[in-house]
Amino acid sequence: MDIPAIGDAEELSCDVLVIGGGTAGTMAALTAAERGARVLLLEKAHVRHSGALAMGMDGVNNAVIPGRAEPDDYVAEITRANDGIVDQSTVRQTATRGYDMVRRLESYGVKFEKDEHGEYAVRQVHRSGSYVLPMPEGKDVKKVLYRQLRRREMRERIRIENRVMPVRVLTSPEDGRAIGAVAFNTRTGAFVTVRAGAVVLATGPCGRLGLPASGYLYGTYENPTNAGDGYAMAYHAGAALTGIECFQINPLIKDYNGPACAYVANPFGGYQVNRHGERFVDSDYWSGRMMSEFAAELASDRGPVYLKLSHLPEETVASLESILHTTERPTRGTFHAGRGHDYRTHDIEMHISEIGLCGGHSASGVRVDDHARTTVPRLYAAGDLASVPHNYMIGAFVFGDLAGADASRYTSYEGALPADQVAAAHELIYRPLRRPEGPPQPQVEYKLRRFVNDYVAPPKTGAKLSLAVAAFERMTGEIAEMGATTAHELMRCAEVSFIRDCAEMAARSSLARTESRWGLYHERLDHPERDDDGWLHHLDLRKSPSGAMVFTARPVEPYVVPVSGFEPSPGPSRELGEVALVPVATAGERSTAPAAAVTDRAPGTPVATGTAAAAAPDERLLRLVGLAEEEPDLDALLPYLTDPDPALRAAAVATLGETLPAGAGPALAARLADPAGQVRAVAAAALRELLEVLPAEPALAAGLRAALAVADPAVRAAALEALRALRLGDAELYAASLADTDIEVRIHAVRALVSVDAVPALAAAAADPAREVRVAVAKGLAAVHAPTPEPLDPLLDDADPLVRGAALAALARTGCPAGYAVRAVAAMDDPAWQVRAGAAAGLGSAAAGPAVPALAKALAADANADVRKAAVLSLLRHRDAEEALTALAGATGDPDADVRAYAGRAV
């Protein structure tokens, strides 16, 4: 392709420029537009399916729901997880605004798990605080957000330019404020300039920094499209970055670079064990300290390390598979099948990911204040790019909202764009076209990231980090020699330059912080101790006017929530300047350069890719796809919803769910009776996705009731779920479904009966032939608004140990009066560990007299760690009894990490 002239640039103008159409960027655009700003959203892919959120989300890690968690407790938790180096004012924004953001997302149609009464089903994963809100059907979060962007009132304010990739933020020569950006089209190569009143960077983490063990460039733990674009753009615009020495490293599935999903599996009863089956993680939060424990266990004779799921019952494993093999990683089931592994018979071997930079999951990012402002005026950063530790998805939304609100105050820049900055960006973009035979991007990127693995990944030393700096400086020239022939290759070449910038920032920052902190995230073998006296400071970096990377040690702001063990010292920042490299011995300098190799190899010819012409797409489907972009009403979609082709009907149902015109609910309910299974499945999924936004109208209720007679059990289950969630059913209707032939439908009927507190009907279901249903009944009898133990009687004598265990555990909610306490104490000798664990949980609500001796005995002598964990949690409720405190003190040396941690807290 030809290099476009600078003068041929397409110039765009807006009040607020949002760079990145993922989690934070989408929210920033929506908020700025709602406040009246003209918004331009640039995305190098397509906003419909871009960013880390594109595959959906299986849970929220930091939901501070009133009544379940307190904002100050969450702030303290994050402060401890980040070893005290945190701006609490930013973390507190997520803690205090997160609940409203959950409600806002829910109003858009994002679906969070709720109990039968419509309350958020927050789970406790960490040993303190209940912050995890599962999203078992959260695969469509991005689609929901895109639907909001395409609402008519938003389309009038938000211009979306897909396939446009910014490479530099433009700043005013007069005052340094952000005034726009330079970009190019990743399909056509066209040159683009943007003038703006404010710029919001929301480009995600630098996930493509270290090289995965597979060696595959794009097989990263994080979204591989996140190449550190925003880190590099902020740095070159003059913004301060902070905590870049604090890497992101995660536990993952061995040989499959996907998360081990503790936030999904642990609430279901899964956990991490060594080869002896022992829980070993003493750290209370998934942090760098936890990763140090993880790495140490792997390296010891107690390794390998596993995600243990094989002890769970079939129905639980099936539920986990439905989440882990869809929303989390669609290829995961195929991977396990290829190994011949099954969660029911095999625990899943785990390992450690490559390194990356990520504020949202560790602490490394662009420095921001509590309104997402960077140190460059009118430049904002939000999401994983911003330095708000452990901010996760909800924090990305919160800071996107904050950035959009603050940036909306400004109007478009009217002056001339700085010619020197535009020219430099033009050179960065198009220089690979001048040398099409230069080294290809994959080779250069592989080499660069191998250096990252060899010299920057922990454990770190000054010598290795100094070698890394030298390598990255040398590779500046090699990157400048890369060749390209297409716009797509130009995009990849620009990304390599971003990765190089991030690699140098990571190496120099790690050199500058001469201590070890954050566990494995910053482990310096030559400075192995944490040094709070010298280093309870943020380490900021920025680009000096001369182009050097310089550092500042910035004091931690006084805490708004005191945290034991950390005492920030006020005072001025220390200017550290450039970091000094550690001298590294060599064999001496060459007196002459080595002779260049001579080759007469001719340039390669293109590789044939096949000649068979692709089949022409169906014109009706293309018309439907085009219609989806035009916010169609229901009448426009009806011909497609009734088309003879079931594939087209399924696509029309998906479009109906995405665009949500008036009358969508009854129309979706009608498609539940479609003769084609694929159409029914799409309609059921769309209904589940939209339960929070569909009006509970009579026509929808009628359609759902009619769907209860459809032969497809998946339809009947979806209809029951919708009737329950929308409060459109009654006890009589739900009780009738207890006679359904399908187990899943009967379980949904049980949940629906709980939602209307229909205890007699629930008690009748205790005789259901399916164990899964009886377990659901036991849990349901404890979940009604006024639970009592008497309806549990038949379940306490059930032949199945899982049912007995669930019924005994339910006593913790219903109360465990004297007669039931006797039964629970007797069950502590049951041969099934599930029964003993349930009995231990139930005794937590019994009187201390009968409960404490039985719990103390189990805590000291039961061979099963889950039973001991249930016992220690119940003893915490009886800590006023001296015998309980004695038992807890004795358990502080338990081989199981969870038991040790809970016992230690009480002592």
Side-chain angles (χ1 to χ4, degrees):
M1 60 174 289
D2 295 328
I3 298 177
I6 293 179
D8 292 337
E10 177 186 3
E11 183 173 301
L12 305 176
S13 177
C14 61
D15 298 329
V16 177
L17 169 62
V18 178
I19 298 177
T23 311
T26 303
M27 188 58 68
L30 288 169
T31 297
E34 287 169 358
R35 292 181 176 238
R38 293 183 305 114
V39 179
L40 174 61
L41 177 56
L42 299 185
E43 167 57 53
K44 67 182 179 181
H46 193 292
V47 173
R48 186 196 294 264
H49 44 67
S50 63
L53 200 61
M55 276 308 303
M57 185 60 63
D58 47 38
V60 173
N61 299 351
N62 55 345
V64 182
I65 304 297
R68 299 299 304 274
E70 294 296 326
D72 285 0
D73 292 340
Y74 175 76
V75 172
E77 189 77 16
I78 299 303
T79 303
R80 285 188 289 267
N82 211 49
D83 280 358
I85 300 181
V86 60
D87 182 351
Q88 286 192 345
S89 68
T90 62
V91 176
R92 204 166 194 283
Q93 288 283 50
T94 297
T96 57
R97 293 172 176 264
Y99 176 67
D100 287 340
M101 183 55 66
V102 168
R103 298 298 297 269
R104 178 175 175 180
L105 293 170
E106 195 172 52
S107 74
Y108 291 167
V110 176
K111 190 171 175 60
F112 300 96
E113 184 174 342
K114 292 185 176 180
D115 63 20
E116 294 82 356
H117 302 290
E119 301 295 327
Y120 294 109
V122 182
R123 310 287 179 85
Q124 182 170 353
V125 172
H126 311 297
R127 299 187 187 105
S128 64
S130 297
Y131 307 118
V132 176
L133 179 56
M135 300 170 66
E137 298 167 21
K139 62 185 181 301
D140 295 319
V141 178
K142 193 64 193 295
K143 185 172 74 174
V144 172
L145 293 172
Y146 186 69
R147 185 169 62 228
Q148 290 299 311
L149 287 172
R150 304 305 292 163
R151 282 167 37 217
R152 183 166 287 106
E153 58 269 33
M154 289 294 101
R155 292 171 72 172
E156 295 172 354
R157 287 273 177 193
I158 302 173
R159 175 176 176 177
I160 298 174
E161 288 291 337
N162 294 305
R163 315 293 180 189
V164 175
M165 177 184 181
V167 299
R168 288 290 186 264
V169 171
L170 297 175
T171 57
S172 167
E174 289 79 25
D175 56 15
R177 73 181 188 272
I179 57 173
V182 178
F184 71 102
N185 188 294
T186 62
R187 289 289 174 85
T188 67
F191 190 50
V192 180
T193 59
V194 182
R195 59 176 67 246
V199 178
V200 179
L201 290 172
T203 56
C206 182
R208 219 160 83 216
L209 184 60
L211 192 66
S214 66
Y216 180 46
L217 295 180
Y218 309 110
T220 52
Y221 179 93
E222 283 286 354
N223 182 351
T225 65
N226 293 333
D229 310 34
Y231 286 77
M233 282 189 278
Y235 173 73
H236 289 291
L241 292 89
T242 192
I244 305 301
E245 71 279 19
C246 180
F247 298 162
Q248 176 185 216
I249 308 171
N250 295 285
L252 49 71
I253 299 170
K254 178 89 166 52
D255 299 328
Y256 178 83
N257 215 13
C261 306
Y263 284 104
V264 178
N266 287 19
F268 283 86
Y271 49 84
Q272 294 67 43
V273 298
N274 57 28
R275 70 181 179 90
H276 302 300
E278 301 164 338
R279 279 182 286 237
F280 60 88
V281 176
D282 284 312
S283 175
D284 193 27
Y285 199 88
W286 287 76
S287 61
R289 292 196 301 278
M290 182 274 290
M291 287 307 304
S292 286
E293 296 176 24
F294 198 96
E297 202 77 5
L298 276 177
S300 75
D301 65 348
R302 298 178 300 277
V305 168
Y306 297 90
L307 173 64
K308 185 170 182 59
L309 303 174
S310 56
H311 64 297
L312 299 174
E314 165 59 30
E315 52 268 32
T316 303
V317 173
S319 295
L320 279 169
E321 284 178 332
S322 70
I323 300 170
L324 298 180
H325 297 178
T326 55
T327 301
E328 191 54 61
R329 290 289 196 279
T331 57
R332 182 165 172 170
T334 305
F335 168 78
H336 291 316
R339 293 288 177 97
H341 290 174
D342 189 298
Y343 299 150
R344 298 156 186 81
T345 55
H346 293 75
D347 296 320
I348 308 305
E349 187 178 355
M350 297 171 64
H351 215 266
I352 289 176
S353 74
E354 72 284 348
I355 67 170
L357 302 178
C358 180
H361 291 77
S362 60
S364 47
V366 179
R367 177 182 164 187
V368 295
D369 66 9
D370 54 5
H371 283 83
R373 307 179 190 110
T374 73
T375 57
V376 170
R378 303 196 189 186
L379 179 63
Y380 300 81
D384 285 342
L385 170 69
S387 62
V388 186
H390 299 279
N391 215 24
Y392 305 113
M393 182 187 79
I394 288 299
F397 280 129
V398 166
F399 272 81
D401 177 53
L402 290 167
D406 205 74
S408 67
R409 299 178 296 152
Y410 303 110
T411 57
S412 181
Y413 178 71
E414 299 295 339
L417 298 179
D420 57 338
Q421 296 179 39
V422 173
H426 185 275
E427 173 65 14
L428 171 67
I429 296 167
Y430 298 109
R431 66 188 176 193
L433 294 179
R434 298 196 184 97
R435 47 186 69 84
E437 299 302 322
Q441 163 263 333
Q443 293 182 13
V444 177
E445 182 175 336
Y446 182 89
K447 179 179 179 180
L448 170 64
R449 292 167 64 189
R450 280 296 314 194
F451 281 137
V452 171
N453 280 17
D454 291 343
Y455 298 130
V456 185
K460 311 172 187 179
T461 69
K464 288 199 300 182
L465 293 166
S466 297
L467 286 170
V469 171
F472 301 146
E473 288 179 337
R474 183 175 65 248
M475 287 203 69
T476 301
E478 297 178 25
I479 289 171
E481 296 295 321
M482 282 189 299
T485 60
T486 69
H488 179 82
E489 291 173 350
L490 289 179
M491 175 183 72
R492 293 298 186 214
C493 288
E495 287 177 336
V496 176
S497 75
F498 300 151
I499 297 169
R500 195 222 68 85
D501 288 344
C502 290
E504 183 179 352
M505 286 190 266
R508 289 186 183 272
S509 297
S510 297
L511 264 174
R513 182 175 285 276
T514 51
E515 64 158 355
S516 289
R517 190 178 289 268
W518 306 299
L520 192 64
Y521 294 169
H522 180 66
E523 181 185 354
R524 284 281 301 260
L525 294 178
D526 46 353
H527 296 282
E529 302 300 324
R530 195 178 86 188
D531 177 13
D532 280 354
D533 290 337
W535 276 113
L536 192 58
H537 285 69
H538 301 278
L539 180 64
D540 294 354
L541 70 85
R542 68 185 189 281
K543 185 178 182 179
S544 73
S546 67
M549 191 179 296
V550 294
F551 291 88
T552 302
R554 174 170 53 91
V556 174
E557 290 293 320
Y559 291 158
V560 295
V561 179
V563 177
S564 176
F566 298 103
E567 297 290 339
S569 299
S573 296
R574 287 184 287 132
E575 297 298 331
L576 305 179
E578 295 185 60
V579 66
L581 303 186
V582 174
V584 180
T586 69
E589 297 182 1
R590 291 182 181 269
S591 58
T592 60
V598 178
T599 177
D600 57 0
R601 181 178 62 86
T605 56
V607 178
T609 57
T611 58
D618 187 286
E619 292 184 4
R620 292 170 299 166
L621 183 58
L622 287 177
R623 288 199 299 269
L624 176 61
V625 171
L627 194 62
E629 294 293 320
E630 301 172 5
E631 293 299 301
D633 58 22
L634 185 58
D635 288 341
L637 291 173
L638 281 178
Y640 300 95
L641 291 168
T642 56
D643 192 275
D645 183 355
L648 190 61
R649 296 202 303 278
V653 170
T655 301
L656 180 64
E658 181 175 329
T659 56
L660 203 62
L668 287 170
R671 298 301 356 133
L672 291 174
D674 194 281
Q678 68 187 106
V679 180
R680 298 195 300 272
V682 174
L687 272 171
R688 282 193 167 102
E689 176 196 338
L690 297 169
L691 286 178
E692 309 300 337
V693 295
L694 289 175
E697 53 190 316
L700 176 56
L704 294 172
R705 287 172 179 258
L708 294 176
V710 173
D712 187 341
V715 166
R716 301 197 298 275
L720 274 173
E721 181 176 354
L723 286 164
R724 173 186 60 79
L726 295 171
R727 299 293 190 264
L728 291 173
D730 52 41
E732 182 180 1
L733 177 71
Y734 299 147
S737 290
L738 290 173
D740 197 281
T741 57
D742 184 79
I743 292 174
E744 190 66 25
V745 174
R746 301 203 300 275
I747 290 174
H748 276 286
V750 168
R751 294 200 70 202
L753 287 167
V754 172
S755 72
V756 293
D757 293 319
V759 174
L762 278 172
D768 193 281
R771 177 189 74 191
E772 301 94 319
V773 177
R774 301 199 302 279
V775 168
V777 171
K779 294 177 179 179
L781 287 169
V784 296
H785 279 119
T788 59
E790 290 78 14
L792 292 168
D793 284 343
L795 298 169
L796 290 168
D797 296 322
D798 197 278
D800 191 289
L802 290 182
V803 178
R804 296 200 306 278
L808 287 161
L811 293 172
R813 295 278 300 275
T814 66
C816 188
Y820 291 90
V822 170
R823 298 171 77 171
V825 169
M828 295 296 290
D829 293 323
D830 195 283
W833 71 265
Q834 296 94 334
V835 175
R836 301 198 304 276
L843 286 170
S845 65
V852 171
L855 292 169
K857 177 183 175 183
L859 185 57
D862 200 290
N864 186 278
D866 283 334
V867 177
R868 300 199 304 277
K869 179 178 177 180
V872 77
L873 289 171
S874 286
L875 282 169
L876 290 174
R877 301 174 68 176
H878 294 295
R879 69 179 74 193
D880 291 340
E882 183 175 346
E883 185 180 355
L885 284 176
T886 302
L888 290 166
T892 55
D894 194 279
D896 184 84
D898 275 2
V899 176
R900 290 196 303 271
Y902 285 117
R905 178 174 302 160
V907 174

